[in-house]
Amino acid sequence: MTASLPVPNDIDPEEPDRHSSARVVRISDTVSQPSEKPRRPARPPRQGGKSAPRKKRSAAAPVDPGPPPPLPSDLEIAASVAAAIIVPPKPPLPTEAPPAASAPETTAVEESVPAVEESVPVEQATTAPDAPTVETAPAPAPPAPPVSEPVVAPPAPVEAETEAQPEDEASPHAPVVVPTLGAAAGEALVLRGVTKRFGSTHAVDGIDLTVPAGTFYGLVGPNGAGKTTTLSMIAGLLEPDRGTIEVAGVDAAAHPLAAKKLMGVLPDRLRTFDRLTGRQLLYYYGVLRGLPPAVVESRTTDLARAFDLQEALGRSVSDYSAGMLKKVMLAGAMIHSPRLLVLDEPFEAVDPVSSAIILDILSAYVAHGGTVILSSHGMELVERVCTRVAVIVAGQVLAEGTVDEVRGELTLEQRFVELAGGLSDVEGLEWLHTFSG
Ligand SMILES: Nc1ncnc2c1ncn2[C@@H]1O[C@H](COP(=O)(O)OP(=O)(O)OP(=O)(O)O)[C@@H](O)[C@H]1O
């Protein structure tokens, strides 16, 4: 059981110095060892002079499951090696996170990663045949100590958030109370006058939004309307030129770490560390959010099952299909059970079965008090699942309210087309029907 769920390598691509100082093993080197194993039984006795040292090296390995059968690919070889390197003792895994009223949560994201790196040995290194080589730090001699129960607070109304302050000078020893003004009114997200320009383009032009906690909120609008720009500012990926953003009452400009801690984000364009395997990526997401490794492992199993990614977890993310990539990143956005999910086109490229599963997951999340704000071009889907909707056109909110309020007597799609200025003129494309090619 444990061997099938190794904690992935802890790779922080932003800290090359750490890895350069560690003993680094290229996976291609590691792979060369097991590739000899299948050949060993077939080697004639005249090689006895060489076989002795090989036996000695084999005996020195921490765990050797015996000569594997011939392996057809580097991927399987790597997986086999990873499984043979370390089988850590499985710590007691919690089924439910206890209320963490007295447990100190990790507050500064930057601090949690080094701490985990020190305590977690490398257990897995996989790569796809054509994927770039993944470097992995070898496991320290002792296995990881059992990890204590998680200290992750379940989604709950925010009264006060403990956070290092000011965040640019974050100190774990100086917690202060971050004001949570909007939380008292049950607002998961409040935007006031949020504006963003790119040169002469007014991408977002003074947007006001109020998203009550426990809402499934849809952001719709034509291409280039400003949805992604808005979600990117909410997520802290872009800085507004003007205006304020509050996440559960936390001023995102004054307390960006506190605000980000409350959110899970599925960003636009899905840029991620795609040389990692899916398991490694989720591990990275989890420890980055301050989760204990055993909790990450447990939740990774749950999420992989929910998103039908079990088979894909050992493969390089760069080899994922568009829908698989979206699902693994959605899983990464959820792994720390945030209060608010900010999802840019979560259903784009996802198959209908997976979409239905994702919808189920999100609906249950909202039913338990979580809040989802998503952008989508799927009017029927938004109409069906969202409780509130905002129609954005040219960077401005043209309609906002419950789905019924916004659509009125029309369907949401008809209302959308109406607000977006109607259908464009398709005259002038007669040449397309000449089939001259
Ligand atoms: N980094 C950028 N640099 C310059 N212009 C940008 C940048 N990002 C967005 N824009 C512009 O801002 C406007 C809003 O873009 P945005 O991506 O927010 O729209 P959108 O509603 O998400 O569109 P779509 O539905 O096509 O994803 C567009 O005119 C776009 O060209």
Side-chain angles (χ1 to χ4, degrees):
M1 177 83 179
T2 304
S4 68
L5 288 171
V7 179
N9 301 324
D10 192 8
I11 298 173
D12 186 347
E14 295 187 1
E15 297 193 28
D17 290 347
R18 189 194 320 280
H19 295 293
S20 63
S21 63
R23 290 182 298 134
V24 174
V25 176
R26 285 189 175 276
I27 190 62
S28 54
D29 298 333
T30 310
V31 166
S32 68
Q33 289 186 11
S35 68
E36 294 175 8
K37 288 184 180 178
R39 280 189 248 121
R40 208 189 324 154
R43 200 176 287 273
R46 61 182 173 80
Q47 295 292 340
K50 288 187 177 180
S51 63
R54 280 186 184 156
K55 283 181 183 172
K56 189 174 178 182
R57 182 175 56 182
S58 174
V63 177
D64 188 347
L71 301 178
S73 71
D74 286 352
L75 178 61
E76 293 181 39
I77 290 169
S80 171
V81 172
I85 290 174
I86 283 180
V87 180
K90 189 176 181 75
L93 296 180
T95 54
E96 200 62 49
S102 60
E105 282 190 310
T106 303
T107 54
V109 169
E110 293 83 352
E111 294 164 10
S112 65
V113 177
V116 173
E117 283 178 347
E118 288 171 9
S119 63
V120 182
V122 174
E123 298 167 34
Q124 180 190 11
T126 62
T127 184
D130 297 329
T133 299
V134 175
E135 292 187 350
T136 66
V147 180
S148 58
E149 293 290 310
V151 290
V152 181
V158 180
E159 294 300 331
E161 194 70 29
T162 300
E163 185 69 28
Q165 185 185 38
E167 288 167 351
D168 289 343
E169 303 162 10
S171 163
H173 308 300
V176 297
V177 175
V178 173
T180 54
L181 307 175
E187 292 159 351
L189 184 65
V190 178
L191 276 65
R192 290 288 173 262
V194 173
T195 299
K196 185 70 183 179
R197 290 171 65 165
F198 297 106
S200 60
T201 303
H202 291 252
V204 174
D205 194 6
I207 276 184
D208 295 333
L209 287 179
T210 300
V211 181
T215 303
F216 214 133
Y217 200 99
L219 218 53
V220 302
N223 293 133
K227 301 181 297 298
T228 291
T229 305
T230 301
L231 293 179
S232 297
M233 289 190 285
I234 293 168
L237 300 171
L238 274 179
E239 193 177 344
D241 296 335
R242 282 205 311 275
T244 60
I245 297 174
E246 275 187 11
V247 181
V250 177
D251 184 329
H255 307 285
L257 286 182
K260 287 175 184 173
K261 190 177 159 194
L262 299 169
M263 283 184 274
V265 178
L266 178 71
D268 178 42
R269 295 182 194 162
L270 305 179
R271 284 179 288 248
T272 190
F273 303 108
D274 64 0
R275 291 189 182 187
L276 302 181
T277 65
R279 188 187 306 281
Q280 290 169 336
L281 186 64
L282 291 180
Y283 181 78
Y284 176 76
Y285 280 132
V287 297
L288 193 68
R289 294 296 194 163
L291 295 178
V295 176
V296 177
E297 181 183 347
S298 173
R299 292 185 181 183
T300 295
T301 302
D302 295 339
L303 289 164
R305 192 188 318 111
F307 287 109
D308 194 23
L309 287 170
Q310 295 108 314
E311 301 301 319
L313 276 190
R315 292 166 51 193
S316 171
V317 171
S318 61
D319 293 343
Y320 281 16
S321 72
M324 291 163 67
L325 177 59
K326 186 138 289 191
K327 287 196 289 184
V328 78
M329 292 191 67
L330 193 51
M334 295 175 168
I335 199 163
H336 61 298
S337 60
R339 293 190 173 96
L340 172 66
L341 282 171
V342 181
L343 311 177
D344 201 343
E345 297 275 3
F347 302 103
E348 186 187 46
V350 176
D351 71 71
V353 173
S354 295
S355 287
I357 292 169
I358 292 170
L359 271 179
D360 272 357
I361 294 169
L362 294 179
S363 298
Y365 169 80
V366 169
H368 286 81
T371 306
V372 175
I373 180 167
L374 59 80
S375 68
S376 177
H377 290 293
M379 292 302 124
E380 190 272 333
L381 182 143
V382 169
E383 197 164 15
R384 185 157 46 92
V385 305
C386 289
T387 39
R388 296 185 73 85
V389 63
V391 182
I392 298 182
V393 179
Q396 298 184 329
V397 176
L398 295 195
E400 198 277 339
T402 65
V403 171
D404 283 341
E405 287 169 348
V406 169
R407 69 183 165 193
E409 300 297 311
L410 305 173
T411 65
L412 187 60
E413 181 166 342
Q414 289 169 333
R415 179 75 172 133
F416 172 89
V417 170
E418 184 180 88
L419 289 168
L423 301 175
S424 60
D425 192 351
V426 295
E427 288 183 8
L429 291 179
E430 290 75 13
W431 54 264
L432 183 60
H433 315 140
T434 60
F435 308 117
S436 55

